[in-house]
Amino acid sequence: MDIRVGHGFDVHALADGLRLVLCGVEIEHTKGCVAHSDGDVAIHAICDSLLGALALGDIGKLFPDTDPQYKGIDSRKLLKHVVDTVNAKGYSISNIDCTIAMQRPKLRPHIDTMRERLAEVVGIDVDRISVKATTTERLGFEGREEGVSATAVTLLIKA
Ligand code: MG
């Protein structure tokens, strides 16, 4: 059996008055991610974990932020493209585990909606998708509310 593990990491700066979108869910907040896309830092980390598992580079390589076609794009479209690529190579996604580090707002009320949104795009059962949220105890750029970071780990199995 061919099993692959992949890891992803992403960071976006926060700025006042922008939309905050995490795992395809728009969250009410005073700040949002600065980005060429919709700034969905969690989906970007998940995309990189999937690409990493197959050594296919990263989303910056696939979807350059200099390309106008990706301006403001819904990151779920990027994820769908990455999932299609993984499936086309004969792999299925066993599970995804993502952690978002952000001081405010509290993400817990949104976690199950995030998991459901991701399951729709990835095409696996929601119980195979984990989204976790943590503060950094006011330490670092996340703690100072200057930015958001996300990590993701993915397991792929060749069918
Ligand atoms: Mg990003």
Side-chain angles (χ1 to χ4, degrees), residues 70-82:
Y70 303 123
K71 179 109 182 78
I73 194 170
D74 183 333
S75 292
R76 286 176 294 180
K77 291 182 183 164
L78 308 182
L79 177 59
K80 179 77 172 76
H81 180 90
V82 170

Side-chain angles (χ1 to χ4, degrees), residues 4-76:
R4 300 287 191 99
V5 67
H7 171 254
F9 173 67
D10 195 29
V11 172
H12 281 263
L14 284 168
D16 289 333
L18 298 178
R19 294 169 70 218
L20 178 64
V21 183
L22 295 169
C23 298
V25 179
E26 184 152 353
I27 293 165
E28 189 110 16
H29 192 43
T30 53
K31 294 178 175 186
C33 288
V34 179
H36 185 67
S37 67
D38 64 1
D40 195 327
V41 62
I43 285 188
H44 297 174
I46 291 168
C47 286
D48 272 359
S49 72
L50 290 162
L51 294 169
L54 296 182
L56 294 174
D58 57 54
I59 57 168
K61 179 179 160 191
L62 250 69
F63 314 109
D65 64 7
T66 48
D67 189 332
Q69 71 170 308
Y70 303 123
K71 179 109 182 78
I73 194 170
D74 183 333
S75 292
R76 286 176 294 180

Side-chain angles (χ1 to χ4, degrees), residues 23-142:
C23 298
V25 179
E26 184 152 353
I27 293 165
E28 189 110 16
H29 192 43
T30 53
K31 294 178 175 186
C33 288
V34 179
H36 185 67
S37 67
D38 64 1
D40 195 327
V41 62
I43 285 188
H44 297 174
I46 291 168
C47 286
D48 272 359
S49 72
L50 290 162
L51 294 169
L54 296 182
L56 294 174
D58 57 54
I59 57 168
K61 179 179 160 191
L62 250 69
F63 314 109
D65 64 7
T66 48
D67 189 332
Q69 71 170 308
Y70 303 123
K71 179 109 182 78
I73 194 170
D74 183 333
S75 292
R76 286 176 294 180
K77 291 182 183 164
L78 308 182
L79 177 59
K80 179 77 172 76
H81 180 90
V82 170
V83 168
D84 288 348
T85 303
V86 165
N87 291 335
K89 290 200 171 280
Y91 287 86
S92 58
I93 298 163
S94 174
N95 72 299
I96 294 171
D97 185 14
C98 176
T99 302
I100 304 165
M102 185 169 202
Q103 192 64 39
R104 272 190 331 126
K106 283 277 173 237
L107 298 180
R108 184 155 307 144
H110 305 286
I111 292 286
D112 285 337
T113 313
M114 291 178 180
R115 294 173 60 220
E116 284 160 17
R117 289 283 160 83
L118 292 173
E120 284 165 19
V121 181
V122 177
I124 63 175
D125 289 344
V126 72
D127 67 359
R128 290 178 177 272
I129 299 180
S130 159
V131 177
K132 309 188 301 299
T134 184
T135 72
T136 56
E137 301 291 341
R138 302 207 167 276
L139 297 169
F141 65 84
E142 301 99 327

